[in-house]
Amino acid sequence: MAQRKLRLFVIDKYLSYDIDGMLCVFAKDEEHAWEALKEKDKDAYWYCDHLKFREVTEPEALVCWGGG
């Protein structure tokens, strides 16, 4: 059985009620990304359940600034 490569799924402006951030998940597909997020952080999963992942398919710099 051939292994499927993991892909990068991103939600920009994650947690924007406080400060902007982003959420990134390496997964086989978008459904797997949601499952992995729910397993890792249920609060983030429930907060983002109405948002859409975008798949990063081209070289791209992803930046997340901290807040204070």
Side-chain angles (χ1 to χ4, degrees):
M1 177 184 227
Q3 282 191 352
R4 293 176 62 183
K5 290 187 176 183
L6 296 179
R7 297 156 34 194
L8 178 61
F9 294 90
V10 175
I11 296 177
D12 296 307
K13 306 298 183 192
Y14 166 67
L15 293 179
S16 59
Y17 66 84
D18 186 14
I19 58 170
D20 288 343
M22 84 175 85
L23 187 148
C24 301
V25 180
F26 282 107
K28 296 179 282 188
D29 53 35
E30 188 171 356
E31 181 179 348
H32 182 237
W34 283 112
E35 291 171 8
L37 176 59
K38 186 175 184 180
E39 183 178 316
K40 180 70 174 184
D41 189 327
K42 285 184 177 59
D43 290 333
Y45 173 83
W46 292 113
Y47 177 78
C48 292
D49 69 346
H50 65 287
L51 301 174
K52 295 287 270 175
F53 278 108
R54 69 178 179 87
E55 185 178 352
V56 177
T57 58
E58 298 293 326
E60 178 180 343
L62 301 171
V63 180
C64 180
W65 288 71

